[in-house]
Amino acid sequence: MIKEDIWSVGSDGKNYSRFRPGVQPGYFEKITNCLEGHQNYLDLACGPGTSFLKFKDLFSGVKIATDLSDAQLKELKAVFERESLGEENNCFILAGDSITIGNQIKEKFGEDIRFDLVTISQALHYFNYKDFCEMVSTDLLKPKGIFAVSGYFHIGFDFLDDPSKKLGDQAYALFYDPIDDHFIFDRKELRSGYKEKNLSQYFQKTLIINEMVESSLSTLESFLGYVKTFSGYNLYIQKNKDKEDFIDPLELMIGKIKEHEKETGVEVKEVYSKMYNFLYVFQN
């Protein structure tokens, strides 16, 4: 379980808010169609509020967003201020790791509070799966409450003018391979969509298992901004930047992109960004 803020290293919450993917197309409808109650909502490891802001208006009771990262919550607090969200409309932000946060919630809202929907996106791999899922099932969800787990794994990019679909991945490898060992979680678990963890064992029903690989058009600026939010990249930079022979792996990838531009005579303004997405919806 992570108890320190690694998401503010080298990249602030604005980059997450601007460049990270939102709720995947179709996932909002899939999750809401499973709901049997619309009172209380909890978003764990909420980041800048991507899921929370999407789902909050469905609920009439307490709506809580939690995260460990000050930089992420700073972005969400700015939205709260702009949109006049707060205790007066039952919207709350709590800072803390997603295990001890359960005690904070009970201290603030009472021992009996339970939620119709609990979401976590792109974060379950940071926690002890067993302890976390048991906490959600036992301490947080109402009977027939919904736990929605989603995530994604970036698998590279393609140049628009490359029929071989190989040159982009070769460039991406120059960036990704050096940072792969600097993520503080097992990337294989995320890459597989947590399949080996058998999350369904902690809940009464598995309502949805959805997986897809999609290739979407992205501006080069957005693509580069997105990969710069990788925690492994920022920890790599932090660890190695003062070394005499340091080379930024992002610059290696950009150099390869510029080589492609020189060879084709065409400026690269957009790429096809390739992503594996998954969603699991469980019922208590």
Side-chain angles (χ1 to χ4, degrees):
M1 179 182 65
I2 307 303
K3 290 191 175 183
E4 59 179 326
D5 182 2
I6 64 168
W7 298 273
S8 302
V9 176
S11 175
D12 62 24
K14 289 183 179 179
N15 287 334
Y16 268 75
S17 181
R18 181 179 178 188
F19 295 118
R20 282 272 169 160
V23 178
Q24 294 300 318
Y27 282 7
F28 177 80
E29 291 77 11
K30 290 179 185 297
I31 294 169
T32 55
N33 287 340
C34 294
L35 291 174
E36 296 199 16
H38 295 82
Q39 184 182 17
N40 299 331
Y41 169 48
L42 173 63
D43 186 23
L44 295 165
C46 65
T50 305
S51 295
F52 179 81
L53 297 171
K54 185 80 171 177
F55 285 98
K56 65 177 178 58
D57 291 338
L58 297 174
F59 298 89
S60 60
V62 171
K63 294 157 280 194
I64 306 172
T66 76
D67 204 284
L68 180 63
S69 171
D70 289 337
Q72 303 292 316
L73 292 181
K74 181 180 178 181
E75 289 300 301
L76 182 54
K77 288 174 181 177
V79 177
F80 268 48
E81 185 173 346
R82 288 197 305 270
E83 299 186 4
S84 299
L85 300 175
E87 295 190 12
E88 64 276 9
N89 38 40
N90 289 328
C91 291
F92 299 86
I93 295 175
L94 295 180
D97 70 78
S98 290
I99 291 295
T100 60
I101 201 71
N103 291 329
Q104 290 189 48
I105 291 170
K106 292 182 183 303
E107 288 174 5
K108 186 172 180 63
F109 299 99
E111 287 288 331
D112 294 333
I113 188 167
R114 294 293 187 273
F115 297 89
D116 299 282
L117 174 65
V118 176
T119 55
I120 184 167
S121 179
Q122 194 65 4
L124 187 56
H125 43 276
Y126 287 111
F127 309 122
N128 178 294
Y129 294 88
K130 180 178 184 295
D131 292 346
F132 183 85
C133 289
E134 287 181 348
M135 176 193 71
V136 171
S137 176
T138 303
D139 298 332
L140 296 177
L141 281 181
K142 291 181 178 182
K144 295 189 176 182
I146 296 299
F147 180 44
V149 180
S150 60
Y152 50 86
F153 187 89
H154 193 259
I155 54 179
F157 76 94
D158 292 325
F159 292 110
L160 273 60
D161 56 359
D162 174 28
S164 73
K165 306 298 183 185
K166 294 180 180 179
L167 298 178
D169 288 341
Q170 291 170 7
Y172 186 70
L174 295 175
F175 165 76
Y176 186 81
D177 289 352
I179 70 172
D180 193 18
D181 291 337
H182 289 74
F183 292 91
I184 62 172
F185 61 90
D186 188 345
R187 295 286 282 177
K188 293 179 181 178
E189 293 177 357
L190 181 59
R191 187 182 292 118
S192 70
Y194 313 140
K195 288 187 182 69
E196 295 180 0
K197 299 303 177 180
N198 187 24
L199 302 180
S200 61
Q201 67 182 301
Y202 305 107
F203 303 92
Q204 294 297 317
K205 293 181 180 179
T206 300
L207 302 182
I208 293 176
I209 298 177
N210 182 271
E211 299 175 276
M212 61 180 175
V213 175
E214 63 175 359
S215 180
S216 58
L217 194 64
S218 172
T219 66
L220 183 61
E221 178 190 14
S222 294
F223 170 70
L224 295 177
Y226 164 62
V227 300
K228 285 174 69 176
T229 67
F230 287 13
S231 60
Y233 170 68
N234 288 297
L235 291 173
Y236 177 90
I237 296 296
Q238 184 185 48
K239 181 178 179 180
N240 294 287
K241 63 182 179 180
D242 295 328
K243 294 181 179 179
E244 188 174 337
D245 59 348
F246 170 71
I247 300 176
D248 187 337
L250 183 64
E251 293 302 321
L252 293 177
M253 181 171 68
I254 292 173
K256 198 69 173 178
I257 293 172
K258 291 186 181 298
E259 285 183 19
H260 184 76
E261 289 179 329
K262 186 175 181 180
E263 291 171 0
T264 62
V266 179
E267 181 182 1
V268 176
K269 295 182 179 180
E270 296 176 314
V271 296
Y272 287 118
S273 181
K274 298 183 291 187
M275 195 84 76
Y276 161 63
N277 301 296
F278 60 89
L279 168 69
Y280 305 115
V281 178
F282 305 105
Q283 188 177 54
N284 215 20

